[in-house]
């Protein structure tokens, strides 16, 4: 069928050879050790990378499609390494033996391709969560960025993130309560804004109203009882437990996005590039959840 298909094992070997592991060293180690090494440099297990590579060649999403004859696994792995380790261009040049310009262009080419898979992977379910009224958890997540230029002041207060005490950008995320799936992603907005304003103005409130569904959110989202339920003192013990587990599960997903250096430290590139990286990472997290790393179930026996 002309597709360039790699096994997880082949991808692991190619990737680890790039970052300096000799054949001998790879042979002497247990498989689990090599998988851990691979994840440390490329952010995911090799089977996840293999599936993304295949999907890029078969997807019907035009912006994400890469014809097999144009696919370069070395450059794709370089993009994954860029997201995970966020090296400077000089460091990338040394590791992948590629010039600044080629390295930069190839990195962003593949990051944008993976980002474009959001049209397939991060979508509101077609069955609209079936009969369940309760659909999602909602939360904003902040990332630290380089201080943007302000025409008058040394700092722009609109970007101030109370979570980092520095300039930041925010993404609003909605995660299904019933499966390990990110179904809503909106951003980036300036971190100094209010999560509630984002909820009202960026479309999620409208979406919940139109679909007649409800979300669970933390105390910062009060005042929208028609669309969101926040923890309150009138909740029964079971409801309290359910909401608490749902919100902690959402935090676990936020944590998954910070497992890469490009989002856990200070982001050096532009706001547009931040959008590319953040959304590509969310797409990769979705693949991870579908391939052996799901979020935990909110419902537990005691609650049923």
């Amino acid at each position: 069928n002309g597709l360039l298909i790699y096994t997880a094992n082949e991808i692991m070997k190619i990737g680890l050879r790039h970052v300096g592991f000799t054949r001998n060293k790879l042979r002497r180690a247990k498989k689990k050790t090599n998988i851990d090494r691979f994840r440390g440099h490329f952010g995911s297990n090799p089977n996840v990378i293999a599936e993304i590579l295949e999907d890029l060649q078969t997807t019907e999403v035009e912006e994400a499609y890469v014809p097999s004859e144009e696919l370069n696994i070395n450059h794709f792995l370089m993009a994954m390494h860029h997201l995970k380790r966020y090296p400077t261009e000089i460091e990338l040049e040394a590791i992948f033996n590629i010039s600044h310009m080629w390295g930069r262009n190839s990195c962003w080419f593949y990051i944008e391709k993976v980002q474009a898979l959001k049209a397939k992977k991060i979508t509101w379910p077609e069955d609209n969560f079936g009969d369940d009224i309760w659909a999602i958890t909602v939360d904003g997540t902040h990332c630290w960025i380089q201080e943007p230029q302000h025409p008058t002041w040394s700092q722009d207060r609109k970007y101030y993130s109370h979570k980092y005490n520095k300039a930041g950008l925010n993404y609003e995320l909605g995660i299904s309560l019933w499966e390990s799936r990110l179904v809503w992603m909106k951003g980036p907005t300036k971190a100094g804004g209010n999560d509630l304003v984002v909820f009202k103005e960026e479309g999620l409130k409208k979406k919940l109203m139109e679909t007649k569904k409800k979300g669970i959110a933390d105390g910062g989202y009060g005042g929208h009882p028609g669309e969101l339920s926040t923890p309150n003192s009138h909740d029964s013990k079971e409801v309290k437990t359910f909401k608490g587990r749902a919100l902690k599960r959402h935090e676990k997903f936020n944590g998954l996005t910070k497992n890469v250096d490009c989002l856990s430290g200070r982001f050096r590139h532009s706001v547009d590039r931040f959008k590319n990286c953040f959304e590509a990472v969310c797409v990769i997290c979705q693949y991870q959840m579908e391939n052996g790393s799901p979020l935990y179930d909110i419902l537990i026996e005691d609650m049923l």
Side-chain angles (χ1 to χ4, degrees):
N1 59 4
L3 295 182
L4 209 55
I5 302 295
Y6 290 91
T7 66
N9 215 28
E10 287 168 338
I11 283 172
M12 183 167 71
K13 283 179 184 163
I14 294 167
L16 289 176
R17 290 301 306 281
H18 266 303
V19 295
F21 287 92
T22 61
R23 280 198 179 91
N24 237 348
K25 201 163 186 181
L26 295 179
R27 265 200 301 267
R28 284 202 306 268
K30 289 181 177 165
K31 188 174 182 183
K32 182 186 178 304
T33 303
N34 283 333
I35 289 173
D36 288 346
R37 287 167 171 170
F38 184 88
R39 202 169 50 239
H41 286 278
F42 300 97
S44 300
N45 285 346
N47 63 316
V48 170
I49 299 292
E51 187 166 324
I52 296 172
L53 266 175
E54 188 172 336
D55 281 0
L56 289 175
Q57 299 172 73
T58 56
T59 183
E60 290 172 11
V61 180
E62 203 178 319
E63 294 83 9
Y65 177 65
V66 183
S68 304
E69 60 276 12
E70 291 175 23
L71 189 80
N72 184 319
I73 187 170
N74 299 321
H75 292 178
F76 175 77
L77 284 169
M78 183 170 63
M80 296 301 98
H81 181 80
H82 178 83
L83 292 172
K84 173 61 181 171
R85 306 297 306 171
Y86 202 37
T88 63
E89 287 180 356
I90 289 171
E91 290 165 336
L92 205 62
E93 186 179 37
I95 296 166
F96 287 88
N97 192 24
I98 190 168
S99 76
H100 274 176
M101 195 180 72
W102 279 106
R104 180 191 306 143
N105 292 349
S106 296
C107 253
W108 293 115
F109 173 79
Y110 282 106
I111 288 168
E112 285 172 19
K113 291 293 178 187
V114 173
Q115 176 196 13
L117 285 171
K118 68 181 180 177
K120 173 191 171 189
K121 303 304 280 189
I122 302 172
T123 56
W124 200 266
E126 280 179 32
D127 70 350
N128 191 29
F129 300 98
D131 297 331
D132 289 307
I133 295 294
W134 298 100
I136 59 173
T137 47
V138 183
D139 196 17
T141 183
H142 287 193
C143 292
W144 175 24
I145 59 164
Q146 206 155 263
E147 192 70 52
Q149 292 293 309
H150 189 276
T152 315
W153 314 109
S154 62
Q155 293 177 314
D156 187 338
R157 288 181 67 92
K158 290 178 182 170
Y159 283 95
Y160 175 74
S161 164
H162 62 275
K163 291 177 185 174
Y164 282 98
N165 201 20
K166 294 181 175 80
L169 289 169
N170 176 53
Y171 256 89
E172 178 184 59
L173 301 178
I175 296 170
S176 168
L177 289 166
W178 311 115
E179 55 179 341
S180 292
R181 180 162 296 281
L182 181 65
V183 298
W184 179 271
M185 175 171 67
K186 207 73 173 186
T189 53
K190 295 170 183 178
N194 185 302
D195 281 349
L196 206 48
V197 173
V198 174
F199 173 71
K200 286 190 292 189
E201 294 181 358
E202 296 294 328
L204 186 51
K205 179 179 165 76
K206 186 169 176 237
K207 180 78 174 174
L208 289 168
M209 285 170 74
E210 285 171 354
T211 54
K212 297 181 170 56
K213 298 297 173 184
K214 289 185 82 160
I216 292 172
D218 63 30
Y221 283 87
H224 292 271
E227 299 77 46
L228 291 179
S229 180
T230 56
N232 72 71
S233 54
H234 301 297
D235 289 339
S236 68
K237 186 177 170 229
E238 289 77 15
V239 170
K240 230 178 219 144
T241 303
F242 182 80
K243 287 182 182 176
R245 281 178 64 80
L247 293 172
K248 279 198 172 65
R249 179 175 175 267
H250 194 113
E251 280 173 25
K252 186 170 166 32
F253 181 85
N254 287 350
L256 281 183
T257 66
K258 302 291 194 326
N259 274 340
V260 293
D261 293 351
C262 73
L263 299 184
S264 63
R266 180 169 61 97
F267 192 79
R268 301 186 303 267
H269 292 81
S270 68
V271 172
D272 286 344
R273 286 303 185 206
F274 174 79
K275 185 178 173 71
N276 297 145
C277 289
F278 187 92
E279 295 186 357
V281 168
C282 283
V283 167
I284 294 165
C285 288
Q286 185 59 51
Y287 276 95
Q288 290 168 353
M289 292 191 296
E290 291 167 16
N291 287 277
S293 304
L295 299 173
Y296 60 77
D297 288 337
I298 299 169
L299 285 172
I300 47 178
E301 274 185 37
D302 297 358
M303 296 159 66
L304 297 172

